[in-house]
Amino acid sequence: MGNPASRVPSDEGILFPSLRKQMVEHHIAARGVRDELVLDAMRKVPRELFVPERLREFAYEDAPLPIAGEQTISQPYIVAFMVEALLLKGHEKVLEIGAGSGYAAAVLSEIAADVYTVERLGPLAERAAALLAELGYDNVHVLHGDGTKGWHEHAPYDAIVVAAGGPQVPEALKQQLKIGGRLVIPIGADIRSQELVRVTRISAEEYRSEDIADVRFVPLIGEEGWATAGGGGKPRGKLHPVRSDEETLIRDLADAAESFASIETADLNPLMDRIGSARIVLLGETTHGTSEFYRMRERITRDLIIRKGFRFVAIEADWPDAARVDHYVRHFQYPPSEWTAFARFPTWMWRNTEVHDFVSWLRKHNGTVERNQRVAFHGLDLYSLYDSIRSVLNYLDEVDPDSARVARERYGCLTPWQRDPATYGHAALTGSYPACEQHVVRALTDLLAKRQAYAEHDGERFLDAEQNARLVANAERYYRVMYYGSRASWNLRDSHMFATLKNLLAFHGPDSKAIIWAHNSHVGNAEATEMAARGEHNLGQLCRQEFGAQAYLVGFGTHSGTVAAASEWDGPMEVKTVRPALPKSYERLCHATGLARFMLGLRGRDDLCGPSGLGKERLERAIGVIYRPETERASHYFQADLPRQFDEYIWFDDTRAVTPLQTTTIKGLPDTYPFGV
């Protein structure tokens, strides 16, 4: 055959070979397809030539695309996944049902000796045959006919793959399979979702069936398939499907979801309408290392700032690190603190290209508005004991040297432990070292007693010093109580974040509005999860109690892909494969819709969110900086009531890891200095 991969259009400067390589690397190999024959075939076939010309720029997104006849070309990952499931070794005879544009047949032809493909729609069959011949795929043979009957003249086949969802496995296809051959087909009683099944022929009358994955395909029309393209009524053949409650819910969920093609092109108007006049918007994430979550939060945040006048962004990060970025994005003139932002474990959580891009945008935006209208960037967390002490002392050295000397004496109690505060907590608990609570609280009260005088000197810098002093006091207590158990330390941490948020709202004024970036476990209402049974509360719950409907809680979810995470605390970052969501989870439910990405408003949707719908308690996944896929159920799932937990849910079926930045500081680059890159 010829070399179709070289026949790449050069219009608009699109580098299709490079995009194809990235697709295979990021959307196929990274998601678990390991067969080199399959990967090599996917690298060779030019998908852009099998989609309508107007859609060529989207050819290497991992998404299905429309073709003629109200049909679709399957997403690349699904094509690779199904071909791998056939267990081909090379030189086989393969039957494909549903030629479509011919793309999957071309992929199969790179592995098999001969590919026979059947297409129900005459115009599609003609176009596929002509294109495959033009590109030199001379081992592919196209037939216009009823795919459910197969292609008897060339049977038996080593493998059969069906690219449409049927109500059952057609008997004709089973009979045309060699003994030892494999048949891969989506089947299900509802055309909106199917189970991908692999059938292996054991003997003349015996077959073994395996469930592989939840999928969604166009309906298989024919004598042994569905009667109509809508899949309505009874299927042809023996099976008379009955829709289950779960299948009805999946249908309703798919109907209610607002699907979007990409983050950049998503229509946020409905979301902005649902947010309305809310004062606080909390944007979550189900992992600490997923690119799509960061990029979607950025997209939403930009709209909230530009269209609704939000005043500051506050993130699940330490105050001093965020203050370093705040100094940069608001173009402050006083000397910045001298350290690299977000340089301690887990560095990738905020030191990544996705956050860097948002910070760059925020600085540019702030450069176009008056100083008092610039959007601030703050941290909510309390782990920065060492940097916070240093910030307070540096501030006092400048504005009140006498108070600085007293503060140094008070903080001296913690000096031996600043680099390893967890060790201090253990020492104080066991009595081998006195607790420092009295000293650090006194340092805070001394600072607050001079609030008026200090704030007159520079209100922004006093806020920074005050917040750092509060952080030291709370962190000292946090590292002591963490040894009593997770509930006390968790509650203290989220209470600190909430107190910091309220302090910021007061500082920025009565009309100020805040955007929060934090993990789902912090922004979702803890009362709707099993956290409540453990006596834990969180930032989302406290915001709901304090601000009511003025707080809008947004959760995020994913089914599979890759994530940046470590295997243990202080361990190196790894790009790990996210295991497909567990059955009976919200994630598996969203995956079953077949939608690649969507937004779903939950507030006021009693029809969808009642106890027989999404309001039925299910499993939900949470991946933090640690990911242990080998203990997935125990380590990363909990029970939740999604509609009570969030006001909005944003879904990405397949996701990829964030891209971390280097942690070394490079001098002389003021345009990027918060990150030291």
Side-chain angles (χ1 to χ4, degrees), residues 355-663:
V355 173
H356 182 277
D357 290 345
F358 171 64
V359 167
S360 297
W361 176 86
L362 189 55
R363 177 177 167 85
K364 290 177 183 176
H365 168 79
N366 282 339
T368 66
V369 299
E370 297 297 324
R371 180 184 176 88
N372 63 357
Q373 295 179 328
R374 293 174 186 170
V375 177
F377 189 91
H378 299 300
L380 297 174
D381 227 330
L382 50 50
Y383 288 122
S384 57
L385 193 63
Y386 176 83
D387 288 335
S388 290
I389 289 175
R390 184 169 63 169
S391 291
V392 174
L393 295 178
N394 288 345
Y395 172 76
L396 291 175
D397 279 338
E398 183 177 332
V399 302
D400 192 345
D402 290 338
S403 293
R405 284 192 291 273
V406 175
R408 272 192 174 82
E409 292 179 8
R410 299 198 189 286
Y411 286 143
C413 177
L414 283 172
T415 298
W417 313 100
Q418 291 179 54
R419 294 291 188 183
D420 188 13
T423 305
Y424 157 73
H426 183 263
L429 178 64
T430 58
S432 59
Y433 189 82
C436 300
E437 180 178 18
Q438 179 180 352
H439 301 287
V440 296
V441 170
R442 187 65 183 273
L444 172 61
T445 55
D446 286 351
L447 184 72
L448 294 179
K450 299 182 179 181
R451 173 192 294 270
Q452 183 173 353
Y454 290 165
E456 287 177 357
H457 184 270
D458 187 329
E460 292 283 357
R461 298 195 66 193
F462 176 74
L463 171 69
D464 182 66
E466 175 193 357
Q467 191 56 43
N468 276 301
R470 289 185 186 279
L471 191 152
V472 172
N474 283 334
E476 183 277 335
R477 184 180 171 208
Y478 174 84
Y479 286 113
R480 279 188 292 111
V481 304
M482 67 182 288
Y483 285 94
Y484 291 111
S486 62
R487 180 181 67 179
S489 57
W490 175 275
N491 288 347
L492 175 59
R493 183 181 172 210
D494 274 57
S495 294
H496 171 84
M497 287 198 263
F498 181 63
T500 300
L501 171 62
K502 291 209 298 181
N503 196 31
L504 289 170
L505 289 168
F507 176 82
H508 286 293
D511 296 326
S512 61
K513 296 192 285 188
I515 304 164
I516 309 298
W517 287 21
H519 196 278
N520 282 355
S521 56
H522 294 294
V523 307
N525 185 355
E527 288 186 313
T529 75
E530 64 183 49
M531 294 169 65
R534 299 196 297 265
E536 294 174 348
H537 60 246
N538 68 357
L539 179 61
Q541 177 183 339
L542 296 172
C543 284
R544 175 66 79 236
Q545 292 170 349
E546 179 85 7
F547 299 101
Q550 286 291 292
Y552 199 82
L553 284 51
V554 182
F556 286 71
T558 187
H559 173 67
S560 59
T562 61
V563 66
S567 295
E568 57 188 3
W569 194 259
D570 274 336
M573 190 209 85
E574 305 170 52
V575 175
K576 297 192 169 195
T577 298
V578 178
R579 289 193 171 183
L582 292 179
K584 299 182 180 180
S585 67
Y586 281 109
E587 289 83 1
R588 180 63 74 92
L589 199 64
C590 291
H591 173 67
T593 65
L595 300 176
R597 35 194 102 66
F598 64 74
M599 291 175 281
L600 179 70
L602 297 169
R603 186 184 284 185
R605 289 299 304 268
D606 295 340
D607 56 330
L608 183 65
C609 299
S612 61
L614 291 179
K616 177 183 178 182
E617 198 171 80
R618 286 174 169 80
L619 292 175
E620 187 181 312
R621 179 155 56 186
I623 299 173
V625 296
I626 310 297
Y627 182 40
R628 298 190 175 101
E630 66 277 7
T631 56
E632 180 97 9
R633 173 62 179 88
S635 300
H636 300 289
Y637 280 88
F638 59 95
Q639 293 287 337
D641 180 343
L642 192 77
R644 290 180 55 230
Q645 186 184 9
F646 301 112
D647 298 304
E648 186 93 17
Y649 194 63
I650 299 180
W651 176 253
F652 291 90
D653 197 68
D654 180 58
T655 51
R656 62 180 178 85
V658 294
T659 303
L661 298 172
Q662 294 180 352
T663 57

Side-chain angles (χ1 to χ4, degrees), residues 247-277:
E247 289 166 337
T248 299
L249 176 58
I250 292 168
R251 180 202 63 191
D252 293 343
L253 175 57
D255 288 343
E258 296 165 2
S259 180
F260 55 95
S262 70
I263 292 172
E264 294 74 23
T265 62
D267 179 8
L268 297 188
N269 288 319
L271 172 61
M272 292 296 137
D273 290 342
R274 289 191 289 271
I275 290 173
S277 61

Side-chain angles (χ1 to χ4, degrees), residues 106-124:
V107 172
L108 286 164
S109 78
E110 294 287 351
I111 304 172
D114 284 287
V115 177
Y116 296 86
T117 182
V118 183
E119 172 55 51
R120 178 179 63 89
L121 300 176
L124 271 184

